[in-house]
Amino acid sequence: MKRIILLISLVVAFYSSCTSARTTPNQVLQVVRDTNGEILRSDSRYFVVMPPVLAGGGGGVTRGPILEAQDGARDANFVCPFQVMQTPLNSDQGRAVFFKPKAPNQIEITESSDVNIKFYIDNPIGMCNNTVWEVEGNIPGTALNPAFLSTNGGETGNPSKVNTWFQIKKLNDDDNANPMYILVFCPNNYEDTCSEITIHYVYGQRRLVLKIGDSFPVVFVKDNNYGTNSIV
């Protein structure tokens, strides 16, 4: 009788451990690091740029569209530019951004965690305070009809705005010294619905979009310039 009770106890313990392993996996989120090896923080701002090793791939992420002037100067051709795009010059780091986690008290940015992405502007109370990234159009989009990223109506810290939450994932798992990352969009945080953010050319402009195609590997360069902290 004692042997039977012991056997039943062992079976129950084994089943419980298996169930626990399936429902509560022991996953430790990895921190995201900048080009100096420092952990990304929600109270600092960063340039999102193509890695230098990918020469000819363009520069950093910025607001647009961009007008190429004959004298080489570049400026936006709208009063309040709303497109999220990549600069064509390798030497141009673009416009710095803040990463704001969905968890209110989270300071360090971790892989595969939801974050809002917000462009830094010097005058956050100005008329062009459209700075928060969001996805527009059909998700995930196709090669001919991608879902574009814009800053038309995004806002920070709103869980119900599903199209404003993005994730950062490490691209090169074997390289801890010089990690590269990709930006992804995962509606409702389901892994099998994630779409990579990549580049789509529109009249020569490098728009950031969701579509099936090439990846857009990036690194994060900390912006140490002085200025107003505009994350809200």
Side-chain angles (χ1 to χ4, degrees):
M1 185 67 180
K2 290 182 179 180
R3 291 182 178 179
I4 295 177
I5 295 176
L6 178 60
L7 179 61
I8 294 175
S9 300
L10 291 174
V11 171
V12 171
F14 175 77
Y15 177 79
S16 299
S17 64
C18 292
T19 303
S20 176
R22 289 197 303 267
T23 56
T24 57
N26 184 21
Q27 295 181 344
V28 178
L29 294 179
Q30 300 296 316
V31 293
V32 179
R33 297 185 181 275
D34 64 18
T35 52
N36 291 322
E38 298 177 352
I39 300 173
L40 264 63
R41 295 174 53 90
S42 61
D43 55 4
S44 298
R45 58 181 186 260
Y46 302 88
F47 296 106
V48 182
V49 302
M50 285 281 278
V53 295
L54 302 177
V61 173
T62 187
R63 295 200 299 176
I66 293 174
L67 177 64
E68 294 286 351
Q70 291 183 353
D71 61 358
R74 300 186 301 108
D75 199 357
N77 61 2
F78 282 94
V79 175
C80 295
F82 64 91
Q83 299 174 2
V84 181
M85 56 191 307
Q86 182 199 21
T87 63
L89 301 177
N90 290 14
S91 58
D92 190 342
Q93 292 184 311
R95 180 178 289 273
V97 302
F98 290 98
F99 297 100
K100 180 174 175 57
K102 181 178 285 186
N105 297 323
Q106 182 178 342
I107 301 297
E108 295 183 344
I109 306 302
T110 54
E111 294 180 43
S112 302
S113 295
D114 286 340
V115 294
N116 291 134
I117 305 176
K118 178 174 180 174
F119 281 121
Y120 166 76
I121 56 176
D122 293 323
N123 181 18
I125 61 174
M127 62 179 294
C128 292
N129 195 20
N130 56 314
T131 56
V132 181
W133 295 21
E134 65 176 355
V135 178
E136 291 185 339
N138 297 323
I139 299 172
T142 63
L144 296 178
N145 187 26
F148 289 91
L149 270 62
S150 76
T151 60
N152 273 328
E155 59 182 89
T156 57
N158 187 344
S160 65
K161 296 277 287 186
V162 177
N163 63 334
T164 64
W165 295 103
F166 301 90
Q167 295 182 9
I168 302 171
K169 294 181 181 291
K170 195 174 181 181
L171 181 60
N172 51 339
D173 290 335
D174 295 332
D175 190 351
N176 292 318
N178 299 291
M180 290 190 292
Y181 298 91
I182 55 173
L183 302 175
V184 300
F185 176 69
C186 303
N188 299 311
N189 205 20
Y190 294 132
E191 185 68 26
D192 56 356
T193 65
C194 292
S195 300
E196 290 187 27
I197 295 175
T198 185
I199 302 297
H200 183 74
Y201 286 85
V202 181
Y203 300 111
Q205 303 278 300
R206 303 183 182 202
R207 297 285 305 273
L208 265 64
V209 299
L210 304 179
K211 72 171 184 179
I212 299 173
D214 296 333
S215 298
F216 178 45
V218 297
V219 293
F220 306 106
V221 180
K222 188 173 183 179
D223 180 9
N224 292 314
N225 297 320
Y226 292 102
T228 303
N229 186 326
S230 66
I231 193 70
V232 293

